[in-house]
Amino acid sequence: MKNKEIARIFDRIADALEFQGANRFRVVAYRKAARILDDLTEDVSVLAQANKLESLPGIGHAIATKIAEYLSTGTVKKYEEVKKEIPGTLLDLLDIQNLGPKTLALAYKELGVESLKDLKQVIKTGRLEELPQMGKQKVDNIRKGIVLYERAHERLSIAAAEEIAHELIAYLKKETRIKHISAAGSLRRWKETIGDIDILATGPNSRTIITVFTQFPNAERVLAAGTTKSSILVRGGVQVDLRIVNAGSYGAALQYFTGSKAHNIRLRNIAKSKGLKLSEYGVFRGKKQIAGRNERDVYKILGLIYVPPEIREDRGEVELALKNKLPKLVEHRSIRGDLHMHSTYSDSEATIAELATAADAHGYEYILITDHSQSVTYAHGLEPKRLYAQWKEIDRLNKKLRTPHILKGVEVDIRRDGTLDYPDAILKECDFVVAAIHQGFKHKVTERMCRAMQNPYVDIIAHPTGRLISSREGYHIDLHRVMEVAAKTGTWLEINAYWDRLDLNDTNARAAHEQGVSISIGTDAHDIKGIQWMKFGVATARRAWLASKDVVNTYTLKKLRAARKVNRKK
Ligand SMILES: [Zn+2]
Ligand SMILES: [Zn+2]
């Protein structure tokens, strides 16, 4: 569906017009059209084909023409025009949270700001703050927005990085006689954002491997191509470095280039204390290499048990590995089901049957369908009547399909006043209830969440901080208090596995676990592909040091039901 793409363009046109100080009504017309398209559940191209665009309230002839233009040409001339009228990269800067078109226009006119660099400069010198109606608070908020903006534009999401590395490794395996190959660096540690992608390999004839690497079909530019090392840019400027190392050093190199820096410093010091030397080439006693071919041996010879890459952050893992006391981290294959999924009943592209079939291919025992509740109108939330219709369909499907068992759930909205969006009579009938905040992000979030957790039927709090890695800071929330109440009430906190959320994140999930909270992982799938995000949820759980028993998705359905707080013996 092109709905969202076009909505974004209309929003951009409105931004540009507002920046230029255009007539307010024109701005409003584009904003309104953007909102309508954003909310629209039908495919806009289907409506256009049927000549029905103008039957949508708020879409006039001028806007309808622009929608048709985009659908047939892939651009909107008006948008291309306004882009030209606005200097430099100013329009892009409107992606910065808390920076509106009016403020930007003011900064441009009064201070000559034309780029992010300029903007940062006038914040630093205090000149932005001195402009009429700005003030410290506003500028502080813009500064926070810039941090998020830079993160999103300079670093790659784990999902994008993983996809590129996966393709590249498959390509090299197919086209060369490579022996060993692996991603290293922060990607191998599954950090939520990645700078450059590092790949390590061994194989005969490194020159040939490098040549093939530089011919990768998605390569946009070759930065360097030596005899054992090469760098290319792929897809819009992502740098990938390939190193070919000797088989006898592969394990040491993998350890070295996986990092983190802090973890490696600890290891080098341990080596030193034993009279050894640790480098990317191996572990050496004097000149003699005593380990290096295999990564596990590197740890072993230093007196540590193997430390999984996800926890190599110098957060206590080295001490425990020395004492052989690391927890056995949860594994992807132990996951028995997905506990957060949307169907076409609310705002997903996938039907329940499609979700079930895809989940079956993952070998899942159960899935929980959690569509939005009635007051989340922008996501087509379900009023009770449609919820009951959905349950009937689930009953039918469960009779037909052997696996997975489809569970009836909801993602019930925690309303502004702290009440839940369905009465207990409905929640009680659900197999499991997920509750979440989707509106009023600044409005008593902690109290509302804690109140929701007091409800005996609320099993899971979804995306507890509400952050989006690329674009939104979380709610103003006292997470410590939320964890306390979760532990006390037996409510599970979610690791939302969607790559732009990963919420709770690694350190928060670890803190929750340490406070006695059980964690559930949900993909929040809004289409079939979304089911695959489970791997990012599991990686986050591993980065949080969680074992299987700490993650409720590893339970059998029987155990999962017994673990609900309503079923717990007090
Ligand atoms: Zn949600
Ligand atoms: Zn959701």
Side-chain angles (χ1 to χ4, degrees):
M1 292 215 297
K2 297 255 169 20
N3 300 21
K4 304 248 179 232
E5 276 167 54
I6 305 175
R8 190 176 142 77
I9 287 177
F10 286 164
D11 252 333
R12 272 305 178 81
I13 296 175
D15 287 340
L17 291 174
E18 217 174 334
F19 178 88
Q20 292 171 325
N23 180 308
R24 205 174 62 84
F25 294 104
R26 284 176 63 208
V27 176
V28 170
Y30 281 106
R31 289 252 188 259
K32 197 168 171 195
R35 213 184 49 237
I36 289 164
L37 286 176
D38 215 21
D39 288 348
L40 192 65
T41 46
E42 296 141 285
D43 187 338
V44 69
S45 57
V46 174
L47 286 176
Q49 260 165 23
N51 248 326
K52 279 190 180 158
L53 284 176
E54 285 175 54
S55 69
L56 293 171
I59 304 281
H61 182 66
I63 296 277
T65 312
K66 290 190 175 67
I67 294 174
E69 186 190 347
Y70 185 84
L71 290 171
S72 65
T73 67
T75 52
V76 176
K77 221 162 67 209
K78 176 78 188 165
Y79 182 48
E80 301 304 319
E81 275 168 30
V82 293
K83 271 203 287 193
K84 275 193 204 118
E85 286 162 16
I86 293 177
T89 51
L90 274 178
L91 212 49
D92 293 336
L93 298 188
L94 289 172
D95 279 345
I96 296 172
Q97 197 188 16
N98 307 322
L99 178 67
K102 278 189 191 133
T103 305
L104 191 62
L106 198 65
Y108 166 63
K109 276 184 211 130
E110 301 297 324
L111 306 173
V113 168
E114 289 195 15
S115 66
L116 181 60
K117 206 172 144 210
D118 296 344
L119 180 65
K120 284 167 82 172
Q121 186 62 25
V122 297
I123 289 178
K124 206 170 149 193
T125 57
R127 290 174 69 205
L128 187 66
E129 199 177 310
E130 287 159 14
L131 288 181
Q133 293 171 17
M134 283 306 295
K136 187 171 178 319
Q137 187 62 49
K138 260 192 174 170
V139 173
D140 271 348
N141 288 338
I142 294 171
R143 196 183 285 122
K144 282 183 200 155
I146 291 176
V147 172
L148 289 171
Y149 176 87
E150 288 191 312
R151 201 187 293 160
H153 286 75
E154 283 166 16
R155 293 183 68 85
L156 205 57
S157 74
I158 176 78
E162 205 241 1
E163 191 174 304
I164 292 170
H166 187 83
E167 262 175 44
L168 196 49
I169 288 173
Y171 161 78
L172 286 173
K173 274 185 176 165
K174 188 166 157 256
E175 302 292 333
T176 69
R177 288 188 295 135
I178 233 157
K179 271 239 164 62
H180 304 280
I181 185 161
S182 168
S186 45
L187 176 57
R188 184 159 178 251
R189 303 201 315 279
W190 294 82
K191 277 195 75 171
E192 57 195 38
T193 61
I194 310 295
D196 298 340
I197 298 175
D198 292 306
I199 295 178
L200 277 189
T202 69
N205 202 344
S206 61
R207 263 174 215 275
T208 316
I209 297 173
I210 298 270
T211 307
V212 173
F213 174 69
T214 58
Q215 289 162 355
F216 180 52
N218 278 330
E220 285 176 358
R221 198 143 65 87
V222 177
L223 297 176
T227 48
T228 58
K229 199 190 153 202
S230 173
S231 300
I232 58 174
L233 291 184
V234 300
R235 244 183 266 162
V238 179
Q239 185 171 336
V240 187
D241 298 334
L242 172 70
R243 281 186 184 81
I244 315 289
V245 300
N246 288 328
S249 293
Y250 181 68
L254 195 55
Q255 198 289 316
Y256 180 89
F257 288 108
T258 296
S260 66
K261 218 179 219 161
H263 174 86
N264 284 358
I265 289 174
R266 298 293 310 278
L267 254 53
R268 274 206 297 281
N269 287 337
I270 290 170
K272 228 182 264 167
S273 72
K274 291 181 184 291
L276 305 172
K277 187 171 166 274
L278 169 64
S279 74
E280 60 183 282
Y281 303 105
V283 184
F284 296 85
R285 178 173 286 127
K287 286 205 167 134
K288 189 173 184 293
Q289 193 206 49
I290 54 172
R293 179 173 292 272
N294 180 308
E295 196 183 38
R296 280 176 192 273
D297 293 345
V298 171
Y299 282 93
K300 200 169 157 193
I301 214 146
L302 297 178
L304 282 76
I305 58 160
Y306 181 72
V307 180
E310 292 93 332
I311 58 170
R312 297 182 193 170
E313 301 288 349
D314 192 22
R315 292 175 180 159
E317 76 279 6
V318 173
E319 288 78 0
L320 291 192
L322 281 167
K323 292 187 222 151
N324 194 1
K325 281 193 171 153
L326 280 182
K328 190 174 171 341
L329 304 182
V330 58
E331 293 187 39
H332 197 168
R333 56 160 196 242
S334 308
I335 298 294
R336 290 173 188 266
D338 194 333
L339 294 174
H340 188 161
M341 300 181 115
H342 293 272
S343 78
T344 43
Y345 277 82
S346 67
D347 58 344
S348 166
E349 307 261 323
T351 64
I352 301 172
E354 286 166 343
L355 290 171
T357 309
D360 196 34
H362 281 248
Y364 285 163
E365 183 184 334
Y366 49 83
I367 55 172
L368 180 66
I369 303 297
T370 55
D371 275 313
H372 290 289
S373 59
Q374 49 195 348
S375 79
V376 188
T377 48
Y378 66 83
H380 212 214
L382 275 60
E383 62 284 357
K385 212 174 114 197
R386 284 201 297 133
L387 185 68
Y388 296 140
Q390 181 182 63
W391 288 357
K392 273 202 183 136
E393 184 177 342
I394 290 178
D395 286 337
R396 267 200 311 276
L397 284 167
N398 274 334
K399 262 186 212 137
K400 210 170 91 186
L401 306 171
R402 234 161 47 90
T403 48
H405 189 81
I406 307 167
L407 297 165
K408 297 169 187 163
V410 287
E411 181 175 4
V412 65
D413 198 54
I414 301 169
R415 294 189 292 210
R416 275 165 194 275
D417 64 358
T419 60
L420 294 169
D421 203 18
Y422 288 132
D424 280 5
I426 289 181
L427 300 179
K428 204 175 163 175
E429 298 301 315
C430 294
D431 287 306
F432 294 89
V433 173
V434 174
I437 286 180
H438 297 99
Q439 34 204 330
F441 288 5
K442 289 184 179 164
H443 187 74
K444 296 191 174 163
V445 176
T446 307
E447 290 93 289
R448 285 157 68 198
M449 219 175 253
C450 290
R451 184 170 164 194
M453 287 189 284
Q454 302 290 350
N455 185 299
Y457 307 113
V458 169
D459 300 294
I460 300 168
I461 296 289
H463 43 75
T465 77
R467 66 131 176 206
L468 292 177
I469 293 172
S470 65
S471 58
R472 191 170 76 202
E473 268 193 293
Y475 319 127
H476 297 272
I477 192 171
D478 179 354
L479 255 191
H480 185 80
R481 170 106 187 97
V482 167
M483 289 171 190
E484 226 171 53
V485 176
K488 215 169 114 200
T489 56
T491 312
W492 308 329
L493 295 182
E494 179 183 78
I495 291 177
N496 190 293
Y498 175 53
W499 51 266
D500 202 22
R501 286 194 182 271
L502 299 178
D503 177 11
L504 298 173
N505 69 7
D506 51 1
T507 48
N508 287 333
R510 187 173 170 187
H513 165 63
E514 280 167 1
Q515 286 210 38
V517 178
S518 291
I519 298 293
S520 95
I521 308 179
T523 60
D524 210 348
H526 280 74
D527 50 32
I528 296 303
K529 196 175 176 195
I531 294 177
Q532 296 169 29
W533 307 146
M534 182 58 77
K535 59 188 164 194
F536 303 123
V538 173
T540 304
R542 288 171 64 85
R543 288 182 59 83
W545 291 50
L546 302 186
S548 275
K549 64 173 176 32
D550 309 323
V551 176
V552 297
N553 311 53
T554 63
Y555 298 177
T556 60
L557 181 53
K558 196 173 158 213
K559 187 171 169 193
L560 190 71
R561 286 193 198 276
R564 288 190 75 186
K565 64 181 165 199
V566 284
N567 295 333
R568 288 195 317 184
K569 294 197 180 68
K570 290 273 149 64

